[in-house]
């Protein structure tokens, strides 16, 4: 005789709709938080037997597609997101567009992440276009039980049982943990190898602090990192650092900073401060969270030059290259003892 609890669960499962049970190929836009949580999302869907198709890296074509669907006020990063959704729309059974909730007002995400499914649907509707959006409210950064429940609910919409959903969530967490750990380890080894060289032989180490979808997107910060490397610098990334350690350290900077990703970046800047010669803050125009956080970082960071760059959909990269080259020149002179001694 099944228990009342099991009967209730079975009835709930039977009643719950699985509107995406037929979606075999899931599109993952290569934009926004896919740069931070993409390994997790890919593993989750693959564990549920889905094929995952990731859109191609951003370029001007992707940006123009997104801009055509967007209102002017949207930030560059969310315009690119719309462009990636558009690139996938006719190619997959559904495009994954999650909404990230955080846990409370002091552990949250930019409002764009929360409103993303509505933003995508309304942008396409206004353009008279159709896109099948697989949305989900994910409790990322909240209590573990809430996060697990949100993924199990997403799995149910794909027709999976609770057990299958939990298994997929565990596989997803494992994949993301492995990826984060391997990036953080590789960067720590780079820092350690550089510190073993005599100071005069060490290449300049420059920390790029930016949201991952800014720092690693070839259309957004690509010209910045290319110019830094072309100038002979070793480029480190604030997002490729132990996230838990960075979050803890961020409390030295602020007790009330509400955005989870900005907190990780700020904490990594503080942790890596002594290992780098300079810091480049890159932000996508117009970014609300960065406009507040970057100004505060620039004021608080002592003893290391800081370059702040706001990237728009520029049609050329000459301006960025010039500013990066001047910054590297300043750091090089500083390394030699300053302008008076250089
Ligand atoms: S944090 Fe800034 S760049 Fe990122 S989505 Fe929000 S407004 Fe855009």
């Amino acid at each position: 005789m099944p228990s009342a609890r099991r009967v209730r669960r079975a009835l709930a499962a039977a009643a719950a709709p699985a509107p995406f049970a037929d979606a075999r190929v899931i599109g993952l836009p290569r934009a926004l938080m896919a740069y931070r949580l993409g390994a997790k999302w890919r593993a989750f869907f693959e564990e549920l037997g889905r094929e995952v198709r990731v859109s191609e890296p951003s370029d001007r074509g992707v940006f123009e597609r997104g801009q055509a669907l967007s209102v002017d006020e949207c930030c560059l990063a969310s315009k690119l997101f719309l462009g990636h959704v558009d690139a996938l729309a006719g190619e997959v059974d559904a495009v994954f567009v999650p909404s990230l909730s955080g846990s409370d007002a002091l552990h949250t995400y930019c409002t764009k992440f929360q409103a993303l499914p509505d933003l995508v649907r309304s942008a396409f509707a206004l353009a008279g276009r159709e896109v099948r959006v697989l949305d989900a409210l994910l409790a990322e950064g909240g209590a573990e039980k809430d996060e697990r429940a949100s993924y199990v609910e997403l799995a149910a919409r794909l027709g999976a049982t609770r057990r299958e959903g939990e298994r997929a969530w565990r596989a997803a967490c494992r994949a993301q943990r492995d990826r984060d750990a391997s990036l953080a380890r590789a960067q720590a080894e780079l820092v350690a190898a550089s510190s073993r060289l005599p100071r005069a032989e060490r290449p300049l180490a420059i920390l790029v602090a930016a949201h991952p979808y800014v720092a690693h997107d070839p259309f957004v910060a690509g010209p910045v990192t290319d110019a830094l490397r072309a100038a002979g610098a070793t480029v480190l990334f604030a997002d490729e650092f132990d996230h838990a350690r960075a979050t803890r350290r961020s409390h030295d900077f602020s007790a009330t900073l509400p955005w989870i990703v900005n907190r990780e970046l700020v904490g990594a800047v503080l942790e890596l401060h002594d290992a780098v010669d300079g810091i480049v803050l890159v932000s996508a125009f117009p970014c609300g969270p960065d406009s507040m956080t970057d100004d505060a970082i620039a004021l608080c960071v002592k003893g290391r030059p800081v370059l702040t760059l706001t990237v728009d959909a520029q049609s050329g990269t000459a301006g960025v290259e010039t500013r990066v080259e001047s910054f590297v020149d300043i750091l090089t002179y500083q390394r030699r003892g300053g302008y008076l001694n250089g």
Side-chain angles (χ1 to χ4, degrees):
M1 182 87 173
S3 69
R5 195 156 150 238
R6 284 183 71 181
V7 170
R8 269 201 307 277
R9 240 194 231 159
L11 286 173
F20 291 91
D22 63 323
R24 307 312 305 170
V25 183
I26 306 292
L28 183 56
R30 191 191 294 262
L32 293 182
M33 289 298 276
Y35 275 94
R36 170 77 174 77
L37 295 166
K40 184 175 193 174
W41 294 337
R42 177 193 276 270
F44 179 78
F45 291 121
E46 287 181 349
E47 184 69 26
L48 293 173
R50 291 340 199 252
E51 181 190 332
V52 174
R53 200 165 299 164
V54 184
S55 53
E56 294 297 317
S58 305
D59 58 16
R60 180 150 292 279
V62 172
F63 167 71
E64 282 168 2
R65 291 172 94 145
Q67 189 175 37
L69 285 161
S70 185
V71 293
D72 285 347
E73 290 73 22
C74 275
C75 66
L76 173 60
S78 53
K79 284 178 183 165
L80 281 170
F81 188 88
L82 286 170
H84 282 278
V85 173
D86 193 22
L88 288 165
E91 308 291 318
V92 297
D93 297 327
V95 182
F96 181 51
V97 183
S99 165
L100 305 186
S101 68
S103 57
D104 55 57
L106 286 180
H107 300 87
T108 187
Y109 293 94
C110 167
T111 47
K112 295 271 181 356
F113 301 160
Q114 298 173 39
L116 215 46
D118 291 336
L119 181 81
V120 169
R121 283 201 191 89
S122 57
F124 276 75
L126 280 171
R129 304 269 315 282
E130 280 194 14
V131 60
R132 192 176 181 206
V133 170
L134 170 56
D135 61 353
L137 180 61
L138 299 179
E140 281 290 345
E144 185 179 301
K145 69 174 177 25
D146 296 335
E147 185 191 308
R148 182 175 60 232
S150 66
Y151 276 85
V152 168
E153 199 176 316
L154 169 59
R157 299 177 69 222
L158 291 155
T161 63
R162 180 181 187 84
R163 178 174 296 200
E164 289 165 342
E166 289 191 345
R167 195 174 57 220
W169 175 72
R170 280 195 298 276
C173 292
R174 226 173 14 249
Q176 190 64 50
R177 249 192 331 266
D178 290 351
R179 181 175 184 276
D180 291 346
S182 111
L183 287 173
R185 200 167 42 241
Q187 182 153 280
E189 281 165 9
L190 191 61
V191 171
S194 169
S195 72
R196 285 195 291 272
L197 291 173
R199 189 164 162 70
E201 290 174 26
R202 267 182 232 164
L204 288 174
I206 299 184
L207 178 64
V208 172
H211 281 86
Y213 47 85
V214 170
H216 304 287
D217 187 298
F219 186 72
V220 189
V224 177
T225 49
D226 287 350
L228 286 168
R229 290 192 179 107
T234 297
V235 181
L236 305 177
F237 293 97
D239 65 297
E240 293 184 355
F241 189 83
D242 182 319
H243 298 307
R245 192 169 140 197
T247 302
R248 280 195 300 278
R249 183 69 196 271
S250 72
H251 288 271
D252 292 349
F253 174 82
S254 165
T256 53
L257 184 67
W259 304 292
I260 291 169
V261 184
N262 287 79
R263 213 169 243 300
E264 292 174 352
L265 297 174
V266 166
V269 168
L270 298 179
E271 287 281 327
L272 289 166
H273 175 277
D274 293 344
V276 299
D277 296 280
I279 298 164
V280 180
L281 305 173
V282 191
S283 147
F285 180 82
C287 175
D290 282 0
S291 66
M292 196 181 115
T293 318
D294 286 1
D295 282 355
I297 293 175
L299 284 173
C300 290
V301 168
K302 306 287 180 213
R304 292 290 180 274
V306 176
L307 172 66
T308 305
L309 293 172
T310 301
V311 182
D312 203 347
Q314 73 275 11
S315 49
T317 56
V320 164
E321 283 161 10
T322 306
R323 292 193 64 194
V324 167
E325 281 163 16
S326 315
F327 186 63
V328 170
D329 283 348
I330 290 167
L331 297 183
T332 306
Y333 278 120
Q334 184 140 329
R335 171 76 73 81
R336 290 183 192 147
Y339 283 98
L340 292 178
N341 303 317

